Amino acid sequence: MSDSAGSQSTAGMQAMLAAGQAMAQNFFDALARQQVAMQDSSGVAVPKLPMPESAEMARMQQAFAEKHVALWSSMLARKPGGEATPVVQPEPGDRRFTAPEWSESPVFDYVRQAYLLNAGFLKEMAEALPIADGRAKSRIQFLTRQYIEALAPTNFAATNPEFIKTAIETKGESIAQGVRNMLGDLEKGRISMTDDAAFEVGRNLALTPGAVIFENELMQLIQYAPLTEKVAQVPLLIIPPCINKFYIMDLQPENSLVRFIIEQGFTVFLVSWKNPRPESGGHHTWDDYLDKGPLTALEVVRAVTRVKKPNVLGFCVGGTLLTSALAVARARGEEPVASLTLMTTLLDFADAGEIGCLVDEASVTAREATIGKGGVLRGQELANVFSSLRANDLIWQYVVGNYLKGKTPQAFDLLYWNSDSTNLPGPFLTWYLRNMYLENNLRVPGKLKMLGEKIDLAKVDMPAYLMAAREDHIVPWKSAYLARNLLGGDTTYVLGASGHIAGAINPASKNRRSYWTSDARPTDPDEWLEQAGEQKGSWWLHWIEWLRQHGGKQVAARGRLGSTKYEPIEPAPGRYVKERA
């Protein structure tokens, strides 16, 4: 290369780096404006975000520049037909650039690596911003990730070699099909993640035999048929989350938690929440859900089985509802249940995960003003929030596959459930957001009143099994651990591998992944993990043995469902779970 060409290359590189640094500054200035918009609707003050101290900023910029110089040099040294050693690699689990077309072409190889370098620089900057407010800093990091993932070269036709290759191989049919897929999704109002026609609740999902034996305006109570001749005398009542449908716990026989429990010799009851409608279900409150959900269900279970203290299990917000209901019962002087199981449940919301960073005073006040006295949060809006938490996996993967490549998503029961969204009543939601996510009032004894009773979680003193998932971004495992410091009884804590759903729904029949256990009970979760031992397989097997200790003696399985007072209304899974948002 001549001296002139070399100086031009150096000048071009310097200009590119200066532009990249300006891009970062402009980006964080834009985030500052977004931060103000989320906190203050006046729009008057538009401060700049505080940048890292000069020495730290200089270090990051120098490392950023050196990596781009190394990338540029590797591209210039690359021989025709050859491949260069990558300067930067995608993060573990990032499958966007695995196709060989990204490395075979020097142009797309450069595009890919330049994007990864820029993305890494912005993430590092977001991490280094000197912001004392943890919620505000988490929000900046969340918005940074959204920006980075949205602008990935994989998402655009001109910068995605897989799009070009597929279009050539199909003689343009992939483009036409992609347009048709996009138009179809626009009609549905959401991105297709699976073949919707492949599944139907009651046909090949939620198949465990049983019957609805009670219903009110908020829930149906299902009793499942026994699958063993003998059962534990003490039944189990399950309270799923009301923010999505219960059949995540009863997808298909091979991955159904409900069926597994029944096969282990337990009588199972389950609450199926109604999908509220704007015209009829938008007035329900947190107290309504406690009273007409867990507390009513417990009354019915006791009447049908003649067991005064059933076992109970709550999943996610279902666990928060269930624990609150038990606190109400204890405040009334009752001894409501024999044992409590909480799956991926928050009781202390000090660190409420990525959802927590999106909840601030302005957003909650706005919701209170619009739907706090009546109305619903549409299910699709809620689903969009959850999808944004894992945008690469739940949004952009399908934008690329459906629209750029013209593919039809594969049939996948979990993603069908994920797309089957539910509405939430405004009064319930706004109370929940303010008192749990925003103010963390549940952890303070006597701070909250529910159904007229002051709530103290220390009075929830029955034996409890707490399950969390190590990679859970909705209920961080350390936050779930803090429930041990709030509940009044003996607790067993188990940490499963994987995330919020895959960690919880880990079928014993497949016995994959692993979980961690320890008999120690320190107040600090990190200290607990240091002493915990890893066990191979599904945590379901560990939990069912714990549940047996609270199941009482073995008795003959009941020959009928319900009772003379609570006759079966319709076969499981019932009408409520089939209602679409």
Side-chain angles (χ1 to χ4, degrees):
M1 180 182 293
S2 67
D3 292 342
S4 175
S7 62
Q8 289 177 355
S9 176
T10 301
M13 176 59 63
Q14 291 173 343
M16 183 190 72
L17 293 177
Q21 292 165 13
M23 172 199 71
Q25 183 67 62
N26 291 336
F27 168 66
F28 286 108
D29 286 347
L31 283 192
R33 291 190 291 274
Q34 175 68 15
Q35 178 81 350
V36 170
M38 296 179 78
Q39 294 180 344
D40 179 7
S41 59
S42 67
V44 176
V46 184
K48 290 180 178 291
L49 283 175
M51 290 293 108
E53 61 181 27
S54 57
E56 176 67 6
M57 188 76 170
R59 183 198 64 77
M60 288 190 293
Q61 289 180 329
Q62 179 65 28
F64 178 60
E66 290 174 354
K67 290 174 183 176
H68 264 289
V69 168
L71 174 60
W72 191 259
S73 298
S74 72
M75 291 295 109
L76 293 175
R78 179 170 173 162
K79 296 180 180 179
E83 293 186 18
T85 301
V87 172
V88 60
Q89 294 281 13
E91 294 179 356
D94 185 349
R95 302 184 299 273
R96 291 175 295 174
F97 303 101
T98 55
E101 290 79 17
W102 287 101
S103 57
E104 291 172 352
S105 163
V107 173
F108 291 113
D109 192 16
Y110 177 80
V111 167
R112 169 187 65 140
Q113 293 192 62
Y115 163 76
L116 292 173
L117 288 178
N118 293 339
F121 178 60
L122 290 180
K123 286 182 180 179
E124 188 178 18
M125 284 276 289
E127 176 65 31
L129 294 178
I131 300 175
D133 184 341
R135 189 189 298 265
K137 186 165 185 177
S138 294
R139 185 183 299 121
I140 292 298
Q141 292 172 322
F142 173 81
L143 293 173
T144 300
R145 195 177 74 242
Q146 297 299 307
Y147 171 85
I148 289 169
E149 293 177 355
L151 293 184
T154 46
N155 301 337
F156 303 94
T159 52
N160 189 329
E162 298 175 67
F163 161 80
I164 298 171
K165 178 184 179 183
T166 304
I168 293 173
E169 290 177 345
T170 63
K171 299 180 180 179
E173 176 57 29
S174 62
I175 299 176
Q177 185 58 50
V179 172
R180 288 193 289 269
N181 289 345
M182 182 183 294
L183 293 175
D185 283 356
L186 286 172
E187 289 184 7
K188 289 193 292 187
R190 59 178 173 83
I191 298 173
S192 294
M193 298 182 184
T194 186
D195 180 2
D196 292 341
F199 299 103
E200 182 183 350
V201 176
R203 176 174 62 84
N204 56 0
L205 297 173
L207 299 179
T208 303
V212 174
I213 62 169
F214 173 85
E215 66 183 36
N216 58 30
E217 66 268 35
L218 278 182
M219 63 92 175
Q220 289 187 319
L221 182 65
I222 299 170
Q223 180 183 1
Y224 290 98
L227 296 173
T228 56
E229 293 184 2
K230 296 280 188 178
V231 297
Q233 184 179 32
V234 182
L236 175 71
L237 169 63
I238 298 175
I239 309 295
C242 56
I243 62 175
N244 41 44
K245 296 187 175 179
F246 82 79
Y247 64 90
I248 184 60
M249 309 179 81
D250 187 29
L251 286 169
Q252 298 184 74
E254 62 272 15
N255 58 0
S256 168
L257 176 57
V258 170
R259 187 178 184 90
F260 168 77
I261 300 169
I262 299 168
E263 288 175 340
Q264 299 304 308
F266 286 88
T267 300
V268 174
F269 296 81
L270 180 144
V271 165
S272 172
W273 298 104
K274 187 173 178 63
N275 204 336
R277 299 293 178 184
E279 64 277 7
S280 60
H283 62 280
H284 293 297
T285 65
W286 179 267
D287 278 5
D288 290 334
Y289 271 74
L290 297 184
D291 183 37
K292 298 174 182 178
L295 292 175
T296 295
L298 278 168
E299 290 179 9
V300 177
V301 172
R302 293 188 190 107
V304 170
T305 63
R306 299 181 183 178
V307 173
K308 292 182 179 180
K309 296 168 63 175
N311 295 304
V312 290
L313 180 153
F315 183 15
C316 189
V317 67
T320 311
L321 277 167
L322 174 59
T323 307
S324 299
L326 297 180
V328 169
R330 295 294 288 122
R332 292 171 175 172
E334 302 170 7
E335 295 186 6
V337 299
S339 76
L340 167 66
T341 297
L342 296 177
M343 293 168 53
T344 61
T345 294
L346 282 176
L347 300 180
D348 187 329
F349 288 73
D351 178 7
E354 294 181 349
I355 293 178
C357 80
L358 303 180
V359 180
D360 62 7
E361 180 63 40
S363 64
V364 173
T365 300
R367 292 291 186 191
E368 289 171 336
T370 54
I371 61 174
K373 300 299 183 182
V376 301
L377 178 72
R378 296 281 184 176
Q380 190 54 53
E381 184 177 350
L382 189 63
N384 291 342
V385 171
F386 282 108
S387 293
S388 71
L389 300 180
R390 287 293 178 266
N392 274 343
D393 293 330
L394 296 176
I395 298 176
W396 300 116
Q397 175 185 180
Y398 298 101
V399 168
V400 173
N402 297 2
Y403 310 149
L404 295 189
K405 298 181 182 179
K407 293 183 177 180
T408 300
Q410 294 182 339
F412 188 10
D413 55 3
L414 180 59
L415 289 177
Y416 178 87
W417 166 84
N418 190 66
S419 300
D420 192 3
S421 56
T422 59
N423 300 324
L424 280 180
F428 168 92
L429 174 68
T430 53
W431 191 96
Y432 176 55
L433 291 177
R434 176 166 294 283
N435 286 285
M436 306 299 178
Y437 280 94
L438 190 60
E439 299 180 3
N440 195 18
N441 290 328
L442 184 61
R443 69 182 304 277
V444 183
K447 183 70 178 290
L448 290 177
K449 267 192 173 183
M450 300 179 190
L451 294 171
E453 304 289 347
K454 289 187 176 181
I455 298 304
D456 183 356
L457 295 185
K459 294 182 179 179
V460 181
D461 54 2
M462 65 290 301
Y465 186 104
L466 311 177
M467 178 270 162
R470 193 163 187 172
E471 299 168 27
D472 195 337
H473 59 287
I474 296 174
V475 178
W477 75 268
K478 295 180 184 181
S479 298
Y481 184 90
L482 298 180
R484 303 190 87 175
N485 304 329
L486 300 178
L487 298 174
D490 180 62
T491 58
T492 298
Y493 183 84
V494 170
L495 180 62
S498 197
H500 188 69
I501 296 300
I505 308 302
N506 182 16
S509 59
K510 298 179 181 179
N511 209 29
R512 297 186 302 176
R513 304 189 183 96
S514 59
Y515 59 93
W516 288 261
T517 62
S518 172
D519 293 331
R521 189 180 166 169
T523 57
D524 180 67
D526 286 316
E527 186 179 341
W528 177 88
L529 185 59
E530 289 177 1
Q531 302 175 64
E534 184 176 3
Q535 316 294 325
K536 297 297 183 182
S538 171
W539 67 272
W540 291 10
L541 298 172
H542 181 271
W543 168 71
I544 204 71
E545 293 306 316
W546 177 89
L547 187 63
R548 290 190 203 283
Q549 300 172 33
H550 308 285
K553 64 182 180 181
Q554 292 287 297
V555 298
R558 290 179 168 271
R560 58 164 295 178
L561 300 179
S563 64
T564 53
K565 183 177 180 180
Y566 298 105
E567 292 285 353
I569 298 170
E570 61 181 332
R575 305 185 315 282
Y576 285 10
V577 73
K578 297 179 182 180
E579 295 177 356
R580 307 287 291 195

